[in-house]
């Protein structure tokens, strides 16, 4: 199933009091041609997820803390310190040990020079691909994806382009290829080191700007994917399969998404959403997590940790997601550590 499908289904479940026939909805969405992989994050899907999870947000104006900056190829103008994923001390970067790329969904093995580029988001799919989205100066957002597998990187289309617009397979020889169509786009594919494949893509037709953006990449560093949230305790037998952080609306807002797995088909999702214009948070609780207030939603499939200013931290363990329980969600939330100041990346370390 696709990332957009999953988020639409999530929103529908979270906004409804009862159970929603998500399987029928997903089948219909696939029939309409949404053939993205789980890794294909779209700004529309992220916006839907944010609206769904915030639910009772009080908003003045229409951009929900900079949400307009998250439209395709868009970016908010920062007014505070730029968001940067914290360094993962003692972990080698991609070029130092390419065999580590995408082996841990909580670690990103490459990044960008924060003095030259602004992070918009980043993510890891365990066993598959690591990605970073960023801008250089006033240029268009650039998406860079890295994998140890040519097959995994080549399939499934490219975010920002229609599925059939990009001719496959790409030659990973350092050449830039143009994507046809209105507005168009450019793609650079290369091998930064033996054992790794990289692909950079952006809208427009400025090949020089794309190469300038690629020059801002840094392959000799490793960073923590979760950013302002640490998941220090996982349920027994569980692993983090995906990590996806969006800071394109920062400092007005940010969100992080995680998928945990156990066994062959058990999944549990974690969503963390912060919005500076969030007028209030839920105060009533019906559960406690390690002495902190929590709320189990009426559908019995979502547990929220309360008391985080202007933010929601919710674990979903039922409905579409199977194989985990409220006890597992409690274990995860008990070990969750949120940065002291979500608008100050210095506190994320």
């Amino acid at each position: 199933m696709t990332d957009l499908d999953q988020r639409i289904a999530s929103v529908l479940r979270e906004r409804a009091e009862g159970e929603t026939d998500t399987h029928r909805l997903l089948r219909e969405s696939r029939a309409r041609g949404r053939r993205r992989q789980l890794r294909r994050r779209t700004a529309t899907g992220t916006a839907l997820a944010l609206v769904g999870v915030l639910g009772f947000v009080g908003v003045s104006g229409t951009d929900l803390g900079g949400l307009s900056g998250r439209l395709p190829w868009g970016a908010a103008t920062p007014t505070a310190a730029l968001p940067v994923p914290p360094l993962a001390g003692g972990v080698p970067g991609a070029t130092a040990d390419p065999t580590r790329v995408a082996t841990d969904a909580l670690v990103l093995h490459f990044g960008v020079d924060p003095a030259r580029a602004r992070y918009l988001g980043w993510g890891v799919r365990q066993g598959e691909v690591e990605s970073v989205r960023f801008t250089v100066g006033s240029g268009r957002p650039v998406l860079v994806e890295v994998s140890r597998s040519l097959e995994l990187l080549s399939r499934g289309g490219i975010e920002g382009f229609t599925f059939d617009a990009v001719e496959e397979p790409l030659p990973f020889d350092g050449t830039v290829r143009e994507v046809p169509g209105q507005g168009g786009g450019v793609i650079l594919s290369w091998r930064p080191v033996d054992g790794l494949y990289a692909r950079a893509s952006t809208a427009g037709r400025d090949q020089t700007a794309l190469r300038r953006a690629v020059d801002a990449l840094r392959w000799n560093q490793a960073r923590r994917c979760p950013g302002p949230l640490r998941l220090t305790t996982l349920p027994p037998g569980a692993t983090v399969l995906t990590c996806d952080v969006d800071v394109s609306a920062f400092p007005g807002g940010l969100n992080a998404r995680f998928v945990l797995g156990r066994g062959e088909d058990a999944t549990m999702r974690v969503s963390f959403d912060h919005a500076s214009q969030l007028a209030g948070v839920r105060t009533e609780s019906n559960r406690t997590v390690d002495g902190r207030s929590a709320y189990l939603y009426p559908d019995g499939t979502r547990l929220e940790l309360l008391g985080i200013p202007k933010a929601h931290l919710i674990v979903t363990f039922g409905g579409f997601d199977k194989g985990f329980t409220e006890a597992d969600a409690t274990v995860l939330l008990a070990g969750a550590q949120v940065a002291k100041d979500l608008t100050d990346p210095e506190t994320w370390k």
Side-chain angles (χ1 to χ4, degrees), residues 85-88 91-94 100-102 104-112 119 121-125 129-133 144 146 218-226 243:
L87 288 169
V91 180
R100 288 177 176 255
V101 170
D104 184 347
L106 296 179
V107 179
L108 189 70
H109 293 86
F110 77 106
V112 299
Y119 282 95
W122 55 86
V124 181
R125 294 196 330 276
V129 177
E130 297 184 4
S131 64
V132 170
R133 192 160 55 95
V144 175
V146 181
R218 294 295 177 264
W219 301 96
N220 59 347
Q221 58 184 234
R223 296 185 175 273
R224 291 194 290 107
C225 184
C243 167

Side-chain angles (χ1 to χ4, degrees), residues 81-89 105-115 117-124 130-134 218 221-230 243-248 250 254 256 258 339 342 344-349:
L82 296 179
V84 177
L87 288 169
L106 296 179
V107 179
L108 189 70
H109 293 86
F110 77 106
V112 299
D113 181 354
R118 190 236 195 228
Y119 282 95
L120 299 177
W122 55 86
V124 181
E130 297 184 4
S131 64
V132 170
R133 192 160 55 95
F134 63 99
R218 294 295 177 264
Q221 58 184 234
R223 296 185 175 273
R224 291 194 290 107
C225 184
L229 176 66
R230 281 180 177 266
C243 167
D244 186 5
V245 179
D246 190 315
V247 293
S248 58
F250 187 88
L254 62 85
F258 308 89
L342 295 173
D344 181 5
E346 289 296 320
T347 71
W348 299 3
K349 299 178 180 179

Side-chain angles (χ1 to χ4, degrees), residues 234-240 261-263 324 328:
L234 301 182
T239 59
V240 179
R262 183 166 59 194
F324 285 89
D328 292 319

